[in-house]
Amino acid sequence: MGDSAFEELRLGDLLVVQPQSGIRQQQDGRDEATPYVTTSAVSQGPHALTAAPRDITRGDVKGRVVERNDLLLVSRGVERHESVPCATVKFDEPAAFSESLIRLRVDQARVLPDYLRLYL
């Protein structure tokens, strides 16, 4: 076989920051409400999250927020032979995300987020 025109990469080579898990949802408290992406929004919802979530959390989100074009993967409760539920963030409002999700922020100069989501 001839040389491939494609470069072999590890997933980590396509990210601009390390993968990060989310936080536990806190519904009580005096802190300002922050939109919150639940695990079920990713595992049972569409492949693209086009509107900021209606769920909220209160308290310190510890910088664990999503941005447009981030990928959210379900990290718990996935059967071994099933594909991993994954969604692309398509809204602009900062939102915290569930501790059962992993955020991937990809280098868009190297890969399209939707393409990587389809691959995963």
Side-chain angles (χ1 to χ4, degrees):
M1 299 243 112
D3 292 330
S4 172
F6 296 100
E7 178 183 359
E8 288 188 29
L9 299 170
R10 297 172 357 120
L11 176 59
D13 295 335
L14 299 173
L15 304 179
V16 293
V17 295
Q18 291 294 315
Q20 187 173 46
S21 61
I23 59 170
R24 183 178 301 268
Q25 186 176 22
Q26 299 178 47
Q27 296 184 5
D28 299 325
R30 293 185 296 232
D31 293 321
E32 186 174 325
T34 302
Y36 184 81
V37 180
T38 62
T39 302
S40 62
V42 175
S43 65
Q44 299 171 5
H47 296 299
L49 304 175
T50 58
R54 291 185 178 159
D55 289 285
I56 62 162
T57 187
R58 296 184 181 276
D60 183 9
V61 296
K62 302 173 183 151
R64 293 182 174 164
V65 294
V66 292
E67 296 177 1
R68 178 177 282 275
N69 292 315
D70 282 349
L71 298 176
L72 289 172
L73 283 81
V74 175
S75 65
R76 297 184 189 157
V78 178
E79 296 297 323
R80 182 175 180 200
H81 299 290
E82 292 183 16
S83 62
V84 176
C86 182
T88 308
V89 174
K90 295 290 186 180
F91 56 84
D92 292 316
E93 185 175 350
F97 55 100
S98 169
E99 65 184 342
S100 297
L101 297 173
I102 296 175
R103 182 194 68 204
L104 300 178
R105 185 162 293 152
V106 300
D107 180 351
Q108 293 181 61
R110 300 188 81 183
V111 65
L112 297 172
D114 287 327
Y115 179 81
L116 185 55
R117 179 188 53 78
L118 288 169
Y119 176 79
L120 294 170

